[in-house]
Amino acid sequence: MIRVEHLNFQYPNSDRQIFKDLSFHVPKGEALAILGTNGIGKTTFVKCLLGFLAYQSGDIFIDDESVKQMDTSKYWKLVSYVPQSKKAAFGFTGLEMTVMGLSPYVKMGRTPTKEDYERAYEQLRKLGIEHLSERNCNKMSGGELQMVLIARSLIKNPKILIMDEPESHLDLRNQLKILNMIEELNSRGEYSIIINTHFPQHAFRIAKSTLLLGYDGYIFDKTEHVVTTRNMRDYFGINSEILSYERAEKSYSTILPIDLQNSQEVSQ
Ligand SMILES: Nc1ncnc2c1ncn2[C@@H]1O[C@H](COP(=O)(O)OP(=O)(O)OP(=O)(O)O)[C@@H](O)[C@H]1O
């Protein structure tokens, strides 16, 4: 369980307070989607959760333990992070990059074993990207690298998975693979997942609850109560329709953006 209580954060060199009294939670076995316009603070929240940025007040808890006080090696055994894919400066292969996900379990100075590499290969195979195992990460496309970073995050079997726009470089088939994987993790009931996304239809599909960040506050509730045409108008400044479709007793919903709302009416 991840619990955020009364979080306040502002960058030192800025006069905008990014989070004012932000509170929400993600139970075990559930995924939370974070939505909001470009520059609203989605990545900043992830950086606060990962300890890369120090928040001014409030706190973030994992299973009732403050992340500020948690031992670093315990933290990184529990938590995996999939960053927005950027080309790495180092020339690792897909397999080497995936093995690095085991680093919290590999003692300092020890090189990964044959078993570690076999496990990494198996993780790549599960995601259907074993053909990337010997490929240099610097020569991969954005989407290929993104899939390898996802393999790296899953190999240690974390309890908490944080993904920062993981689908942004992915083709439709790979997007579905990631959504299926998150659904599968949800069904196991052991993981708490946070996914920053620009795709409301992905929130509908995999996230029981959604956090919608705005300039004057936020909404945290069940996804179907957050992703509404009214909130799309107020938080994104667009007129939209929600389309729903039923197939094999499963229901799928998406937002269809229609046109821009008068910019003065956007809640900024
Ligand atoms: N180091 C920094 N110092 C000051 N301001 C920063 C810093 N890093 C980011 N910001 C600002 O904080 C705000 C939130 O940025 P953040 O990257 O969290 O947005 P985001 O919601 O993830 O955006 P996107 O959807 O475009 O990825 C932006 O206005 C950004 O310019």
Side-chain angles (χ1 to χ4, degrees):
M1 155 87 109
I2 304 167
R3 198 154 42 84
V4 177
E5 284 191 357
H6 307 294
L7 195 75
N8 288 290
F9 176 79
Q10 186 164 356
Y11 284 103
N13 52 352
S14 156
D15 54 9
R16 181 184 147 215
Q17 188 167 351
I18 307 261
F19 306 124
K20 279 181 227 152
D21 204 23
L22 176 67
S23 297
F24 63 92
H25 60 277
V26 192
K28 210 161 133 179
E30 285 188 17
L32 169 94
I34 304 184
L35 293 173
T37 54
N38 288 128
I40 201 71
K42 300 179 294 298
T43 300
T44 301
F45 171 72
V46 166
K47 288 180 178 170
C48 288
L49 171 56
L50 296 171
F52 300 161
L53 289 172
Y55 36 91
Q56 281 83 32
S57 62
D59 211 347
I60 304 176
F61 300 89
I62 293 179
D63 293 338
D64 293 327
E65 193 173 343
S66 163
V67 296
K68 277 182 178 168
Q69 262 123 52
M70 198 178 279
D71 171 75
T72 316
S73 85
K74 177 178 175 187
Y75 181 89
W76 285 111
K77 281 178 183 163
L78 286 173
V79 178
S80 264
Y81 167 51
V82 183
Q84 289 181 23
S85 86
K86 296 202 176 79
K87 292 267 155 79
F90 314 105
F92 298 117
T93 65
L95 192 70
E96 287 163 344
M97 187 63 113
T98 307
V99 145
M100 278 178 218
L102 288 172
S103 58
Y105 291 94
V106 176
K107 286 216 175 74
M108 281 281 272
R110 154 159 113 64
T111 47
T113 61
K114 185 166 164 276
E115 286 72 33
D116 293 334
Y117 282 108
E118 282 169 2
R119 196 165 152 191
Y121 189 84
E122 180 55 19
Q123 188 62 63
L124 292 169
R125 202 194 54 73
K126 273 193 203 157
L127 290 172
I129 50 165
E130 65 272 30
H131 60 284
L132 298 177
S133 66
E134 295 307 318
R135 189 98 72 77
N136 188 311
C137 288
N138 279 334
K139 295 188 180 150
M140 289 181 192
S141 73
E144 288 170 335
L145 180 59
Q146 188 73 68
M147 291 298 285
V148 169
L149 294 177
I150 289 167
R152 184 183 69 171
S153 76
L154 291 176
I155 189 171
K156 70 181 179 194
N157 198 17
K159 293 291 163 251
I160 297 201
L161 185 59
I162 314 294
M163 308 175 101
D164 198 357
E165 298 178 26
E167 344 82 314
S168 49
H169 292 281
L170 301 184
D171 66 39
L172 294 174
R173 184 178 165 83
N174 279 334
Q175 287 184 24
L176 274 178
K177 274 192 207 169
I178 299 312
L179 295 176
N180 288 346
M181 176 202 83
I182 295 173
E183 277 178 333
E184 210 255 315
L185 294 179
N186 279 343
S187 72
R188 289 198 225 162
E190 296 166 17
Y191 300 83
S192 301
I193 300 170
I194 293 183
I195 172 169
N196 282 351
T197 183
H198 284 297
F199 297 89
Q201 66 270 33
H202 294 177
F204 276 128
R205 181 145 176 172
I206 47 112
K208 194 159 187 178
S209 49
T210 290
L211 174 70
L212 177 54
L213 295 173
Y215 286 93
D216 289 327
Y218 67 93
I219 304 178
F220 165 64
D221 204 339
K222 288 194 173 122
T223 297
E224 64 269 30
H225 296 161
V226 176
V227 184
T228 62
T229 51
R230 184 187 171 143
N231 288 337
M232 292 301 109
R233 187 195 64 203
D234 292 348
Y235 282 73
F236 287 92
I238 60 162
N239 294 315
S240 62
E241 290 289 340
I242 293 184
L243 304 181
S244 293
Y245 171 70
E246 301 244 340
R247 184 171 164 188
E249 294 180 18
K250 232 177 141 180
S251 153
Y252 302 85
S253 298
T254 190
I255 286 275
L256 179 66
I258 308 279
D259 59 14
L260 298 178
Q261 173 85 359
N262 179 338
S263 59
Q264 283 161 358
E265 292 171 46
V266 182
S267 73
Q268 291 202 13

